């Protein structure tokens, strides 16, 4: 059974929604501030750091769609924080506002019914918009909080192999 | 030294959801002495206070990306202090980049776990640290 539907996990899932709602408010404040100060691209990095926190917790409670959605938002915002293409940044801001709306709806439905759905919006289509934006930043390497982005992401197995190679 | 569920554990994560999930997993593993901290800074204070009061932590599980003091900075503080040079430290992250792993290993991390993870993975990591 998915954690989202597991009665034993309800307290944790509700807590996740409450906590994530607070973080979404912070994300909205960041975007509002960015709209008023379009040159302040460090705000977009801050956006990425906060949505990354929702992502980690979402994936940990089986809210896979929400987690993947946050991951795309994180990549786009991190990459956007390293460009000075103001036209593209305008699009990014608009899409990140929409991302937030969808994230809020996802959280609301998780809290209500334990289901990751959004009324009237095709999530896949919207995710494709985020992916399209991500591709626009293909020349930008860093997409996360990592020290050096010039490398592929790794799952636990390959991380374990690396740790073994490093003597752990 | 083998892992003993009675050992004193510190769980550090800014998301209370994550702290609850990890605590649940640890409780299912039989752990009873679990303390939580919501950021690296209070965690560092708790580590020092616990040592000063004669009941030091035996093990730290910390998230990497936290808004105040990051897990990496907490680890660096811990390893820079002679008293905690050998304190087992498991880093938790949503990131899976090799450079993060290398940086954490250089800073003296005991092991590294990528979110999302289940109880079996966590238990395996802990057993590996204490074997």
């Amino acid at each position: 059974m998915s954690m989202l539907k597991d009665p034993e996990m309800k307290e944790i899932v509700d807590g996740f929604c409450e906590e994530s709602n607070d973080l979404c408010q912070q994300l909205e404040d960041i975007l509002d501030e960015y709209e008023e100060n379009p040159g302040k691209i460090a705000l977009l990095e801050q956006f990425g750091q906060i949505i990354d926190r929702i992502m980690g917790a979402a994936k940990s409670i089986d809210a896979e769609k929400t987690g993947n959605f946050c991951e795309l938002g994180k990549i786009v915002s991190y990459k956007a924080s390293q460009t000075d293409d103001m036209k593209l940044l305008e699009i990014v801001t608009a899409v990140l506002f929409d991302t937030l709306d969808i994230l809020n709806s996802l959280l609301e439905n998780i809290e209500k019914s334990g289901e990751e759905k959004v009324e009237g919006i095709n999530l896949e289509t919207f995710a494709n918009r985020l992916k399209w934006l991500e591709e626009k930043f293909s020349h930008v390497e860093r997409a996360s909080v990592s020290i050096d982005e010039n490398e592929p992401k790794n799952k636990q197995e390959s991380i374990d192999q690396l740790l073994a190679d490093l003597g752990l | 030294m083998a892992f003993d569920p009675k050992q004193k554990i510190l769980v550090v994560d800014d998301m209370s959801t994550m702290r609850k999930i990890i605590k649940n997993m640890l409780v299912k593993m039989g752990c009873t002495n679990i303390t939580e901290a919501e950021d690296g800074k209070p965690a560092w204070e708790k580590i020092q206070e616990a040592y000063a009061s004669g009941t030091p932590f035996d093990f730290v599980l910390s998230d990497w990306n936290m808004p105040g003091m990051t897990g990496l900075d907490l680890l660096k503080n811990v390893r820079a202090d002679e008293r905690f040079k050998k304190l087992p430290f498991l880093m938790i992250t949503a990131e899976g980049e090799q450079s993060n792993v290398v940086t954490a290993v250089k800073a003296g991390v005991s092991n590294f776990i990528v979110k999302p993870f289940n109880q079996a993975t966590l238990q395996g990591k802990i057993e590996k640290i204490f074997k």
Side-chain angles (χ1 to χ4, degrees):
Chain A
M1 181 194 287
S2 158
M3 280 193 207
L4 296 179
K5 297 264 188 188
D6 185 347
E8 280 184 25
M9 294 298 292
K10 184 155 178 35
E11 192 190 328
I12 286 179
V13 172
D14 286 350
F16 161 76
C17 291
E18 193 180 328
E19 202 165 22
S20 298
N21 284 333
D22 289 345
L23 291 173
C24 281
Q25 186 56 56
Q26 289 181 36
L27 291 174
E28 193 173 332
D29 292 344
I30 287 171
L31 288 182
D32 285 340
E33 192 183 340
Y34 181 76
E35 261 199 329
E36 287 169 22
N37 307 277
K40 229 172 150 181
I41 49 174
L43 287 166
L44 296 176
E45 172 152 8
Q46 210 180 323
F47 184 99
Q49 279 168 355
I50 292 175
I51 204 167
D52 173 79
R53 300 217 279 277
I54 302 177
M55 178 189 87
K59 288 186 175 181
S60 299
I61 60 161
D62 291 344
E64 203 175 325
K65 274 187 199 170
T66 307
N68 291 340
F69 200 66
C70 287
E71 187 164 16
L72 276 173
K74 178 187 84 166
I75 292 169
V76 168
S77 56
Y78 269 120
K79 288 199 169 189
S81 74
Q82 298 160 77
T83 184
D84 53 5
D85 183 338
M86 296 309 282
K87 279 215 174 229
L88 197 52
L89 284 170
E90 260 181 47
I91 299 171
V92 167
T93 316
V95 171
L96 289 180
F97 267 117
D98 289 345
T99 302
L100 255 188
D101 285 345
I102 292 173
L103 189 53
N104 278 319
S105 297
L106 280 166
L107 292 169
E108 197 182 325
N109 281 314
I110 289 173
E111 201 166 11
K112 265 194 220 159
S113 61
E115 283 182 25
E116 292 183 280
K117 59 179 183 184
V118 184
E119 307 293 339
I121 291 173
N122 185 330
L123 272 182
E124 204 176 321
T125 306
F126 190 81
N128 283 338
R129 281 174 66 192
L130 280 170
K131 281 178 191 159
W132 172 83
L133 260 182
E134 186 198 347
E135 282 162 18
K136 291 281 169 198
F137 293 115
S138 57
H139 60 290
V140 179
E141 295 295 344
R142 201 172 70 85
S144 74
V145 294
S146 72
I147 312 303
D148 175 6
E149 290 286 313
N150 199 11
E151 59 195 36
K153 287 222 169 179
N154 291 270
K155 297 282 179 203
Q156 185 72 57
E157 299 80 44
S158 51
I159 292 296
D160 287 346
Q161 183 56 53
L162 178 62
L163 286 168
D165 293 343
L166 292 166
L168 284 181
Chain B
M1 179 180 66
F3 177 66
D4 178 354
K6 288 184 190 138
Q7 284 177 328
K8 190 172 176 178
I9 303 168
L10 179 61
V11 176
V12 192
D13 200 304
D14 59 302
M15 291 285 282
S16 73
T17 309
M18 283 310 302
R19 293 200 302 273
K20 281 179 197 161
I21 289 171
I22 295 165
K23 201 172 169 185
N24 266 4
M25 289 178 185
L26 291 170
V27 167
K28 282 179 184 166
M29 288 164 58
C31 302
T32 51
N33 197 352
I34 307 163
T35 303
E36 296 178 32
E38 71 280 5
D39 199 80
K41 193 163 179 276
W44 177 228
E45 286 165 5
K46 281 176 198 278
I47 289 169
Q48 294 176 94
E49 283 164 13
Y51 187 89
S53 67
T55 54
F57 286 103
D58 299 299
F59 179 41
V60 177
L61 289 99
S62 176
D63 188 29
W64 180 303
N65 177 21
M66 294 184 287
M69 183 190 284
T70 66
L72 183 63
D73 287 336
L74 172 63
L75 172 65
K76 285 176 178 172
N77 275 357
V78 164
R79 290 293 180 252
D81 191 315
E82 200 58 47
R83 296 171 298 174
F84 311 118
K85 276 217 179 302
K86 290 187 176 168
L87 175 62
F89 195 114
L90 177 59
M91 188 73 85
I92 302 165
T93 179
E95 304 287 343
E97 278 91 3
Q98 290 190 4
S99 56
N100 280 22
V101 181
V102 173
T103 304
V105 170
K106 278 183 184 165
V109 80
S110 308
N111 217 309
F112 204 91
I113 193 165
V114 182
K115 286 186 257 184
F117 54 86
N118 57 26
Q119 191 189 323
T121 307
L122 178 61
Q123 189 156 356
K125 288 283 175 187
I126 293 174
E127 283 167 0
K128 196 161 188 185
I129 289 172
F130 282 90
K131 80 175 180 188

